[in-house]
Amino acid sequence: MYGSLLEQRLSSGQTWTQYAHVLKEGELFEEAVSAYLSAVHCDGADPDPRLHLAHLLKRLGRSAEALQAFRALSALPDAPHVEQEIAGLGIQLMQTDQKTPALFASNETRPGLDVCLSGFEHLRRLEEERAADIAQKNSQYEAQVTTRNLPFAAAFIELRRLMKPCFVQARLDPKANLVIRDDLYVATTGNPQFAVLVDGYSLQPGWFEVEIDLLGHSSMSFDPILYTEHRFEWAAFSTFRLRPMGEGKFHATGLIESPVLRLRLDPASREGSFTVRAFKLRQISLAKGLCQAYRQNRHATQKALRAMITHKGGERFARNIADILKYTGPDRYHAWIALHDTPTSEQAALQRRAIVGWPTQPLISLIVDTDELLLPELEATLRSLKDQSYENWQLHIPASSTLPKEKCRYLMSCAETDARMVVHWNDDRPTMKSVPSKCDGRFIVFVTAGDVLAPSALYEIAERSIAKPEARLIYSDEDSIEAGSRHSPLFKPDWDPDYFFASNYLGRFVAFEAALIETCCLPLLALPDLDIHDLILRATEILLPNEIIHIPHVLYHRSSPARLSDQNILPYPMTSRRLQALSASLNRQGKGATVVEEKGGFGRVIWPLPTPAPLVSLIIPTRDYLPLLRGCIESLLSKTAYPTFEIIVVDNGSVEPETLGYFDALRAMDNVRVLSAPGPFNFSWLNNLAVEQAQGSVIGLVNNDILAINSEWLQEMVSHAIRPDIGAVGAKLLYPTGQVQHAGVVCGIGLVAAHPHKYRSGDDPGYMGRLAMTQSFSAVTAACLVVEKSKYKEVGGLDAENLTVAFNDVDFCLKLDKAGYRNIYTPYASLVHLESVTRGLDTSPEKTRRYRSEADFMLRKWGDRIHKDPFYSVNLTADREDFTIRD
């Protein structure tokens, strides 16, 4: 079937891709690689075959080829997220010269597959002949260009610097996945393509402009991309994404550096019908390109000009200008908004109908901060309140009678036109002191003039207060808004006191139970400069964890235009005042902790150790691999400043004479023991056995491929582990390259769980600063884990029956979580991890089956908990370990 079909459609990339899928399912991996390569030759701009090819090469252990394939994929304008794959393969190739073994050794075919494969050898010969013909054409073409066209092309580029715009007679011709019905173009798939046909004068190297005017029908949306092919069969090409200009118009200015064979334009990435109202293509001068770049980014253009004058680099200057003009496509957050957070009238109607059926409709009181009041800012806030789908709210506006007359008239007008708005006049500077006592709502929300609430913000708060009657403090996700454009989202975890000690990640849009304000926060309201962080601190001193509710929706748009970056990781830095308030709060609770300020605007809480410090038993399972073990133990002994610890080496059947001799030397040491435990490798059983014989009240699970690099690592981990509410404590583990291997475990990424922030630079603060701050995670890795012995035994230790190798640490941490303990990651304990060198990768059929069996066990046991990790937002990806927004 596939043989005859492919012979008829050798130029169809989609057919080759589907055929490759069949070959891969039949475990004919080399044939699948060949078929994916054929698909790439047919349509090198299609990311799908490149993605499957790269993953298959990685699966086969062909890391260098996989890295090359991922890099080629990343150059496409609509490439999926592969940065983490590139980083991981780069680290792997740096660390070892050995090739990873193939995942499946067997080449047995599945029943019934022979029919599909019968013509493959014939097709492969046809494809090889076709590839040879393409190579010959490219060789001839390159020779022709070298001898004749390239000097002409260079001269042409120079000529374009002075010439006026030259229109190219171009038209669009449906190439693939496009049909014409009722005088409309209809995209039949998400990959419609036009061939750009040029009559007479062809597009030459140099500067050019392209414009298209599109009219979509129904819900059709556009994202046009122009492809210029420079070598036959997409062996080399360039891409130019067209920028939206409004009303269906799109435009791009770019630089073509190589001769052009063919042009192709893809108008959209979804099905639908549309009309092309106009299409223009013209060559332009450098001067016009420079002017456009200057209008688009004045600072970057001036910088490029200075660099050209200084270094006399005309070619580099042209590329700099081209980079400025390049449009990289819609912002990923804007794409997320379009998919997941665009309110509709239907949704508002559904919410209003739901409100009618509620047993109660709690009143929500809002207090707006009018300090240095600006009318446009207040108007924006009031508009968002009037747009709320939940209407049972009341706004209190403290105001000074000394305000300008215009502002006074405006506030009085607000109160007259909407009875829900109440102005509290004060002779002096308005304060919050007396306003909460005049609020009738069950919840009180403080807002700042200029802040904008999502249309469903108050609905969500009211709905949560009904669904969870225990709720006393409610917060949500948020972003910034600037000139109507949203950016810099904060997708937050559920309540985590340690993360809150380091940063005010809850923000300023927080709904307080009114009784909570009266109980513990009222004295703070007398202060002239109210800080929401102080109110939250006071409230959390008496709140139970289940009384603090997180709504994982963007309900609040802060009026700060600053875009968050690595240097500005949170919009609410821990100022000296906030750190002092935190210190006072911890003292009121008798914690005895010390608060220090860290570079970057966040805090660190240093927890005390008792005197004398508790004995720690560090447990290291091993089987031979003497160089690793020796390096691990020597680093622990020489680079650990903790005063009292013992090392228990669990020998799981070592046989090499050098290893056995080293064990004899270890036995002569006072604080090192060697425990014999022969038998099949069972990580859980080995550690459980050693825990029974450990003398320490604190247990440290340490892999034999761990290297200590920070002398305070153990003191930091123990100081957390002995806290009554803390279970397991995990460290920040780095690859030898300095990139992050482990910084906490998130459930629900991949099959069961994974390590977010993997492959980030060791000094990267991470998403919302989460690489740099102590915080809770669902689990931490047993490669370096510290826990009190009593807690270890309370939950039954590691599961030696069902989880012999994989996921035993995740299961153990979830058992601690269920018992009421939180698991902590601390970046202040940093070590190097060579990652599973001793047990190898799970690539053999036997290891694959075991891995799948253990994963299935975890999903049966912890399914609900795995798919809803409280310390990871549902708005972040579950497909990768990079803390990016979900697609």
Side-chain angles (χ1 to χ4, degrees), residues 365-386:
S365 297
L366 299 100
I367 304 174
V368 65
D369 178 10
T370 57
D371 189 24
E372 299 180 4
L373 174 69
L374 296 175
L375 286 185
E377 294 178 351
L378 182 59
E379 288 172 348
T381 302
L382 297 187
R383 279 197 303 271
S384 71
L385 277 173
K386 292 180 179 179

Side-chain angles (χ1 to χ4, degrees), residues 526-816:
L527 299 175
D529 51 342
L530 175 69
D531 191 329
I532 299 298
H533 177 265
D534 294 350
L535 293 181
I536 300 170
L537 264 178
R538 290 284 185 131
T540 56
E541 290 176 18
I542 66 171
L543 289 174
L544 298 174
N546 68 321
E547 295 174 328
I548 304 174
I549 305 300
H550 168 223
I551 302 175
H553 300 295
V554 180
L555 303 183
Y556 165 70
H557 314 301
R558 57 188 177 271
S559 57
S560 168
R563 293 180 180 269
L564 301 184
S565 64
D566 288 351
Q567 289 72 41
N568 181 23
I569 52 181
L570 283 172
Y572 315 106
M574 293 293 282
T575 61
S576 297
R577 168 185 163 167
R578 289 175 176 172
L579 292 171
Q580 290 171 3
L582 172 60
S583 181
S585 176
L586 293 173
N587 287 336
R588 284 194 297 270
Q589 300 173 67
K591 302 292 187 182
T594 303
V595 179
V596 298
E597 184 175 358
E598 292 289 307
K599 182 181 179 181
F602 57 93
R604 176 188 178 187
V605 178
I606 302 175
W607 297 87
L609 281 174
T611 303
L615 175 65
V616 180
S617 297
L618 301 177
I619 298 170
I620 309 174
T622 192
R623 179 186 293 171
D624 290 315
Y625 283 92
L626 178 58
L628 280 178
L629 179 65
R630 179 185 285 121
C632 173
I633 292 178
E634 288 181 357
S635 73
L636 295 179
L637 293 174
S638 64
K639 296 184 179 180
T640 303
Y642 192 81
T644 54
F645 68 93
E646 66 168 353
I647 296 175
I648 302 175
V649 177
V650 188
D651 175 23
N652 185 220
S654 297
V655 295
E656 295 176 357
E658 294 83 358
T659 305
L660 300 178
Y662 183 65
F663 288 161
D664 291 337
L666 292 178
R667 291 186 181 97
M669 298 182 181
D670 293 336
N671 64 335
V672 182
R673 287 188 282 156
V674 179
L675 176 63
S676 180
F681 180 78
N682 184 324
F683 183 83
S684 300
W685 174 73
L686 294 172
N687 281 287
N688 291 344
L689 181 68
V691 168
E692 291 298 326
Q693 301 192 31
Q695 298 174 0
S697 61
V698 177
I699 300 298
L701 306 184
V702 181
N703 274 18
N704 65 352
D705 53 359
I706 289 289
L707 298 175
I709 56 174
N710 176 350
S711 63
E712 302 298 324
W713 73 274
L714 189 54
Q715 178 173 323
E716 169 69 14
M717 297 181 77
V718 174
S719 71
H720 289 290
I722 62 176
R723 293 165 58 189
D725 59 329
I726 299 302
V729 181
K732 183 178 186 178
L733 303 183
L734 305 174
Y735 288 105
T737 59
Q739 290 161 299
V740 173
Q741 185 269 331
H742 168 81
V745 172
V746 165
C747 293
I749 297 180
L751 194 57
V752 174
H755 301 186
H757 286 134
K758 199 169 187 179
Y759 306 127
R760 291 275 192 112
S761 171
D763 58 359
D764 190 321
Y767 181 73
M768 289 179 61
R770 295 188 63 177
L771 257 178
M773 302 180 195
T774 302
Q775 66 202 268
S776 301
F777 273 95
S778 287
V780 292
T781 180
C784 186
L785 180 155
V786 173
V787 63
E788 282 192 300
K789 184 177 180 179
S790 59
K791 297 168 184 172
Y792 187 100
K793 299 187 74 172
E794 178 185 343
V795 299
L798 303 182
D799 188 339
E801 180 180 352
N802 300 293
L803 301 169
T804 61
V805 177
F807 304 122
N808 41 54
D809 46 7
V810 178
D811 175 72
F812 173 67
C813 289
L814 292 180
K815 290 191 294 185
L816 287 168

Side-chain angles (χ1 to χ4, degrees), residues 186-265:
V186 179
T188 56
T189 73
N191 186 31
Q193 303 169 13
F194 283 111
V196 181
L197 304 180
V198 178
D199 297 330
Y201 179 87
S202 62
L203 192 65
Q204 298 293 331
W207 294 89
F208 76 99
E209 275 186 321
V210 59
E211 296 176 4
I212 192 168
D213 187 350
L214 299 165
L215 175 63
H217 301 276
S218 299
S219 59
M220 187 65 177
S221 62
F222 302 102
D223 182 21
I225 302 171
L226 179 71
Y227 295 86
T228 61
E229 186 184 26
H230 304 304
R231 295 184 68 208
F232 289 101
E233 303 297 331
W234 302 99
F237 61 93
S238 303
T239 62
F240 302 90
R241 191 170 226 130
L242 278 66
R243 186 186 304 273
M245 308 302 290
E247 299 181 348
K249 295 181 175 64
F250 298 85
H251 171 272
T253 300
L255 173 66
I256 297 176
E257 298 188 67
S258 302
V260 176
L261 286 175
R262 289 181 296 182
L263 296 168
R264 168 181 140 188
L265 187 134

Side-chain angles (χ1 to χ4, degrees), residues 311-500:
H311 303 290
K312 309 297 184 183
E315 185 176 341
R316 180 64 263 176
F317 171 70
R319 291 197 177 110
N320 286 340
I321 297 302
D323 289 341
I324 293 169
L325 291 167
K326 189 178 183 67
Y327 173 58
T328 56
D331 180 89
R332 291 194 185 276
Y333 182 48
H334 288 169
W336 180 89
I337 291 172
L339 284 173
H340 306 292
D341 197 35
T342 301
T344 64
S345 57
E346 291 82 0
Q347 290 172 340
L350 285 173
Q351 290 175 354
R352 291 190 175 95
R353 286 197 293 270
I355 292 168
V356 175
W358 287 356
T360 181
Q361 295 183 21
L363 176 66
I364 298 175
S365 297
L366 299 100
I367 304 174
V368 65
D369 178 10
T370 57
D371 189 24
E372 299 180 4
L373 174 69
L374 296 175
L375 286 185
E377 294 178 351
L378 182 59
E379 288 172 348
T381 302
L382 297 187
R383 279 197 303 271
S384 71
L385 277 173
K386 292 180 179 179
D387 289 340
Q388 293 296 303
S389 58
Y390 185 75
E391 299 178 346
N392 194 22
W393 53 266
Q394 187 180 58
L395 178 66
H396 296 265
I397 309 174
S400 170
S401 56
T402 61
L403 284 173
K405 292 182 179 180
E406 179 189 5
K407 294 181 180 179
C408 290
R409 284 196 298 268
Y410 177 77
L411 293 178
M412 288 188 288
S413 172
C414 289
E416 291 171 358
T417 56
D418 193 329
R420 295 174 298 179
M421 298 185 186
V422 181
V423 182
H424 301 276
W425 296 101
N426 196 308
D427 291 338
D428 301 316
R429 178 183 176 183
T431 70
M432 301 293 194
K433 181 177 180 179
S434 60
V435 176
S437 61
K438 300 176 182 178
C439 294
D440 301 320
R442 181 188 166 190
F443 282 90
I444 296 175
V445 180
F446 299 91
V447 296
T448 301
D451 296 344
V452 174
L453 275 60
S456 62
L458 300 184
Y459 169 88
E460 293 286 353
I461 291 174
E463 192 274 335
R464 289 302 194 284
S465 71
I466 296 170
K468 296 181 179 291
E470 72 276 12
R472 303 188 67 190
L473 186 150
I474 303 173
Y475 67 100
S476 75
D477 293 347
E478 61 180 276
D479 61 15
S480 282
I481 191 164
E482 179 184 8
S485 178
R486 294 166 53 184
H487 61 86
S488 303
L490 299 180
F491 293 128
K492 307 171 185 178
D494 287 354
W495 170 241
D496 178 3
D498 281 87
Y499 188 30
F500 182 69

